[in-house]
């Protein structure tokens, strides 16, 4: 019995579409034929969320995320994923407000990092993800040290995410900038780099760098789908 996956999306819709595609491709690969995933999507107006982020109104953002998760649970979702890295800032509060599992993106990524035997990792994401402690602390719980880009490089990474990728713009010059930033992280000891924004895989992939990349979208979407295909008693 396939369980319903609740997706908190629209953060941005481009990455949510990628989640939806990956989830359904995984189910099709497992079962073939006309099989697809059972999904429920709560899609935000990303402009409104960005306004809350930029103005530091994180409590309001938390309340919005809780409402989204509760709506998905009431609609029949049996597990929930937040289709963005940054809004895992309030993952704990969201999980406490619902009775179904919230699959935390950092836990999933950390397991993949550990399977490679790595303990020192670079992190790319929005400036909120890179600069606030929630992401680094979660990785630290798994014994993983985080290296973030310099202030100048963080500004570039953040700009490309919001002003290009979230608006569907993929620029070759930006790919080159990201490649250079990844090389600088590697020179500081990073054994791999987390693509810690769900839009970044739209720009760069593991084929574009010499060190391993951890695609947060792919890892998160596939892990959640695997859980959705397990017997109910194995999902917690």
């Amino acid at each position: 019995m396939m369980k319903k996956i609740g997706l908190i999306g629209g953060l941005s819709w481009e990455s949510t579409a990628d989640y939806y595609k990956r989830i359904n491709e995984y189910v099709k690969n497992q079962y073939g034929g006309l099989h697809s995933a059972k999904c429920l999507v709560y899609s935000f107006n990303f402009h409104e969320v960005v306004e809350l982020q930029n103005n530091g109104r994180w409590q309001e953002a938390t309340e919005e995320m809780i409402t989204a998760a509760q709506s998905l649970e009431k609609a029949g979702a049996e597990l929930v994923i937040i289709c963005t890295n940054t809004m895992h800032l309030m993952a704990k509060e969201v999980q406490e407000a619902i009775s179904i599992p919230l699959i935390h993106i950092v836990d999933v990524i950390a397991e993949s990092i550990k399977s490679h035997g790595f303990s020192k990792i670079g992190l790319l994401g929005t400036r909120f993800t890179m600069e606030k402690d929630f992401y680094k602390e979660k990785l630290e719980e798994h014994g993983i040290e985080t290296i973030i880009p310099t202030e100048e490089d963080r500004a570039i990474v953040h700009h490309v995410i919001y002003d290009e990728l979230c608006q569907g713009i993929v620029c070759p010059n930006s790919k080159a900038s990201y490649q250079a930033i990844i090389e600088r992280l590697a020179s500081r000891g990073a054994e791999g780099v987390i693509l810690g924004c769900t839009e970044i895989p739209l720009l760069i992939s593991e084929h574009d760098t010499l060190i391993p990349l951890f695609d947060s979208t792919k890892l998160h979407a596939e892990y959640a789908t695997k859980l959705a295909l397990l017997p109910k008693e194995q999902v917690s």
Side-chain angles (χ1 to χ4, degrees):
M1 291 293 292
M2 191 186 307
K3 289 169 284 299
K4 294 185 181 72
I5 304 171
L7 289 79
I8 300 178
L11 302 162
S12 66
W13 71 260
E14 281 88 355
S15 63
T16 305
D18 194 21
Y19 264 90
Y20 186 75
K21 182 173 184 289
R22 289 177 184 272
I23 287 169
N24 281 287
E25 284 178 341
Y26 188 90
V27 171
K28 182 178 180 180
N29 289 338
Q30 291 296 306
Y31 293 132
L34 299 177
H35 285 284
S36 58
K38 294 181 178 180
C39 294
L40 299 167
V41 182
Y42 187 110
S43 189
F44 280 99
N45 176 353
F46 192 40
H47 173 83
E48 295 173 355
V49 175
V50 172
E51 287 288 303
L52 295 177
Q53 292 175 341
N54 288 337
N55 288 289
R57 294 157 60 189
W58 293 104
Q59 183 55 44
E60 291 177 58
T62 299
E63 292 167 2
E64 291 287 343
M65 293 292 289
I66 287 172
T67 296
Q70 290 176 334
S71 297
L72 289 168
E73 182 175 16
K74 289 176 183 176
E78 295 165 273
L79 58 96
V80 172
I81 56 175
I82 301 172
C83 300
T84 177
N85 286 265
T86 296
M87 301 307 276
H88 279 76
L89 175 66
M90 60 280 297
K92 180 176 182 291
E93 290 85 351
V94 173
Q95 179 63 91
E96 289 173 349
I98 57 177
S99 60
I100 57 176
L102 170 69
I103 311 305
H104 200 298
I105 197 168
V106 183
D107 286 331
V108 175
I109 296 167
E111 290 304 320
S112 181
I113 292 168
K114 289 188 292 186
S115 74
H116 285 72
F118 298 161
S119 60
K120 196 170 186 179
I121 205 78
L123 173 62
L124 301 181
T126 68
R127 63 183 175 89
F128 311 113
T129 295
M130 293 185 288
E131 295 174 4
K132 289 183 177 293
D133 291 333
F134 75 100
Y135 212 98
K136 297 187 287 288
E137 288 178 351
K138 191 72 169 172
L139 287 169
E140 189 176 349
E141 291 176 10
H142 290 271
I144 298 167
E145 179 185 348
T146 307
I147 305 172
I148 64 171
T150 64
E151 183 175 354
E152 181 180 355
D153 284 348
R154 293 198 302 271
I156 293 169
V157 172
H158 185 85
H159 161 76
V160 170
I161 290 168
Y162 280 93
D163 295 339
E164 296 178 14
L165 300 178
C166 286
Q167 299 182 45
I169 301 168
V170 178
C171 177
N173 289 338
S174 296
K175 174 180 279 194
S177 294
Y178 269 51
Q179 288 172 311
I181 291 168
I182 289 169
E183 288 176 8
R184 288 192 281 275
L185 289 170
S187 72
R188 292 167 55 198
E191 299 167 286
V193 173
I194 299 171
L195 304 184
C197 172
T198 49
E199 279 78 24
I200 295 177
L202 303 174
L203 177 69
I204 196 164
S205 73
E206 59 188 6
H207 306 295
D208 300 314
T209 64
L210 296 177
I211 68 171
L213 301 181
F214 294 87
D215 181 338
S216 60
T217 304
K218 179 178 185 293
L219 292 169
H220 200 204
E222 290 187 355
Y223 185 85
T225 312
K226 289 177 185 177
L227 287 185
L229 300 180
L230 290 175
K232 188 170 184 179
E233 60 272 13
Q234 295 184 39
V235 179
S236 60

